[in-house]
Amino acid sequence: MRLVTWNVNSLKARLPRVEGWIAEHAPDVMLLQETKCADAAFPAAAFTALGYESAHYGDGRWNGVAIVSRVGLGGVRAGFEDAAPDVAGECRILSADCGGVRVYSVYVPNGREVGSEFYAAKLSWLGQLRRELDATCEPSAAVAVGGDFNVAPEDRDVWDIGAFAGLTHVTEPERAALREVMGFGLTDVVRLLHPAEAGPFSWWDYRGGAFHKGEGMRIDLVLASAPLAARVEAAFVDREARKGQGTERQPSDHAPVVVDLSP
DNA sequence: ATGGTAGCGCTGCTA
């Protein structure tokens, strides 16, 4: 089973690229983030035409998450089961059962500035994610939590840690909150299969030619429970999908993260 | 050089 997570930065703007990527890479389950559309505008028919079921949770201009599957799609839950008041109201998590795996598509808040109310909300959201897992699944089952975490787990997951002094995505509280999520019993499977290298990065700023300068970050993750992590045959970032700046159809600023699982 | 790009949508916010 091929499981993919991809922050598409507007599904409307990216649909041709997403369709093309599906045709070329034949994913079984795709976790999408930043669809930037309302449920009524979600292009479900485009996925149906390709042989996929889909579910979406979005309310308009920002955020929005989706799950697309050709191996079944049931038990869909939009949002947190028990949303705390400080994390309610944004469409950032969607979960479902696909091919025997409980999958979560997550879009962690960016945090904006360290110390801001948005930064506090990001830490709170990650805490809520851990509680969601505790309440809705078991680490002994096949569970995958994939998405844009907006946290670089280690210093080597950014191009130059010196450039991040005082900035979000690399602070210890963010990393500690991510570790709390993983403490549920989840393994970062790209890191599992790439134990010694920097990155591989999954996001590059649109500005300043960051992609071509290698100035990226690894913030899109697939976290798997132990039974699922044991099935990982490959885990990689498709950098090709980040290319094509200046062409008619722009790429997302994120590349797909691909995980291949044995039956 | 306090910039830059992309998306949404029409003014400025978000990333």
Side-chain angles (χ1 to χ4, degrees):
Chain A
M1 184 170 112
R2 170 162 280 185
L3 172 68
V4 179
T5 185
W6 193 5
N7 178 322
V8 295
N9 186 22
S10 170
L11 189 54
K12 181 183 178 186
R14 217 68 59 207
L15 187 58
R17 279 183 172 263
V18 172
E19 290 171 320
W21 197 92
I22 289 172
E24 185 174 357
H25 297 93
D28 294 297
V29 179
M30 293 190 86
L31 312 177
L32 305 178
Q33 299 86 36
E34 272 206 273
T35 60
K36 292 187 175 178
C37 62
D39 288 340
F42 177 74
F47 295 112
T48 303
L50 296 171
Y52 292 79
E53 297 176 89
S54 60
H56 180 255
Y57 181 42
D59 61 8
R61 296 174 63 183
W62 294 301
N63 312 315
V65 285
I67 299 174
V68 177
S69 171
R70 65 175 186 183
V71 292
L73 181 63
V76 176
R77 180 185 300 110
F80 289 117
E81 182 181 63
D82 180 21
D86 60 335
V87 296
E90 292 189 338
C91 302
R92 295 180 176 275
I93 181 168
L94 180 69
S95 55
D97 299 308
C98 299
V101 182
R102 186 68 188 174
V103 297
Y104 295 76
S105 179
V106 303
Y107 178 41
V108 178
N110 173 282
R112 304 192 195 181
E113 304 283 340
V114 175
S116 70
E117 62 180 301
F118 302 99
Y119 178 79
K122 178 182 192 173
L123 299 178
S124 177
W125 199 95
L126 284 163
Q128 184 72 23
L129 176 56
R130 171 59 195 269
R131 291 193 291 278
E132 174 78 5
L133 296 171
D134 288 335
T136 60
C137 65
E138 298 289 338
S140 58
V143 177
V145 184
D148 177 359
F149 283 78
N150 273 316
V151 179
E154 300 176 79
D155 286 357
R156 60 174 163 158
D157 291 318
V158 301
W159 79 90
D160 175 11
I161 193 62
F164 282 81
L167 300 182
T168 59
H169 293 58
V170 300
T171 69
E172 180 51 30
E174 289 165 279
R175 288 173 170 173
L178 176 61
R179 286 195 298 270
E180 279 296 309
V181 172
M182 296 177 68
F184 174 74
L186 301 172
T187 297
D188 174 352
V189 298
V190 168
R191 177 53 69 213
L192 179 68
L193 268 66
H194 299 76
E197 66 191 79
F201 301 147
S202 64
W203 173 88
W204 299 261
D205 200 307
Y206 282 123
R207 297 167 289 188
F211 180 71
H212 295 289
K213 290 190 280 190
E215 297 181 348
M217 304 175 73
R218 191 172 76 91
I219 55 176
D220 300 274
L221 309 175
V222 174
L223 309 179
S225 61
L228 200 63
R231 292 166 49 191
V232 175
E233 296 178 330
F236 59 94
V237 175
D238 178 26
R239 291 170 47 93
E240 291 300 312
R242 181 60 178 78
K243 295 180 179 175
Q245 285 167 297
T247 60
E248 186 176 348
R249 289 172 181 170
Q250 297 292 334
S252 171
D253 46 354
H254 297 252
V257 177
V258 185
V259 177
D260 288 330
L261 302 157
S262 65

